[in-house]
Amino acid sequence: NLVYAGLNYVNGGFDEVICDAYKAAICAVEHLISLGHTKIGYIGSIPEFEDNGVINEHRFEGFKDAMQKHGLEINKSFIRNIELSTMDGYEAMKDMLENKELPSAIFCANDSVAIGAMKAIHEFGLKIPCDIAIIGIDDIEMSAFVRPALTTIHVPKIELGRFAAKILIDRIEEGHNLPVRVDLPFELKIRESC
């Protein structure tokens, strides 16, 4: 018996409890657009191809679709494909800051990446959000304590775990046979970084 809990749905023929990363990414990018940003970058994982097709990274797909929906250019020099860690976010932002043209805002695939990017921006002598706005996904505890406090998408992690446990127990007790998907809502947490 298996229950997947996370941000990207996998359609693996087993039970899933998700908080839709694709929709959350669209929400994050549209928040930046609503603030007047048109040059928006992305730091995070990007889909890679395998023999049987594409491995989806829903946050990147949501970023692309939101930009296209609003007729905004996706500038490849504003995109970095990284592992989702603070150090990789820091290094990716440092690399991006060496370009002549900079985005006015960055969507980071998670808060750890965003916190790393924020450190690089500070070291470069730029101000957040005046020079570059930052938004993440997860709402980890640290995101409220960095300066400026990070605007993020709150993912209900505790509820993801609770629902996964309930679905697993129901499956073990033969309460259901077909795979189920529970899609929990996210929430935009507006703080100071945008």
Side-chain angles (χ1 to χ4, degrees), residues 38-144:
T38 57
K39 295 181 177 181
I40 302 171
Y42 172 85
I43 300 177
S45 297
I46 295 176
E48 295 179 18
F49 290 91
E50 282 193 346
D51 293 338
N52 62 346
V54 176
I55 301 172
N56 287 324
E57 173 40 67
H58 298 225
R59 288 165 279 203
F60 181 69
E61 297 301 323
F63 163 78
K64 280 193 331 185
D65 288 353
M67 294 288 284
Q68 290 169 352
K69 173 184 169 188
H70 292 275
L72 299 177
E73 176 190 356
I74 297 172
N75 186 331
K76 290 182 180 175
S77 68
F78 299 163
I79 295 174
R80 295 294 183 277
N81 183 16
I82 63 164
E83 297 292 322
L84 300 182
S85 72
T86 305
M87 181 56 78
D88 283 356
Y90 171 74
E91 294 294 339
M93 192 70 236
K94 272 181 43 178
D95 181 60
M96 197 181 300
L97 289 166
E98 293 174 4
N99 291 336
K100 290 178 183 164
E101 185 183 7
L102 294 175
S104 65
I106 301 283
F107 165 53
C108 295
N110 71 22
D111 290 355
S112 296
V113 168
I115 290 168
M118 290 171 75
K119 178 173 173 50
I121 292 167
H122 289 308
E123 286 180 0
F124 201 75
L126 298 176
K127 300 219 180 295
I128 301 166
C130 301
D131 298 312
I132 299 178
I134 298 279
I135 192 167
I137 288 184
D138 278 341
D139 194 22
I140 62 173
E141 183 178 20
M142 182 62 68
S143 65

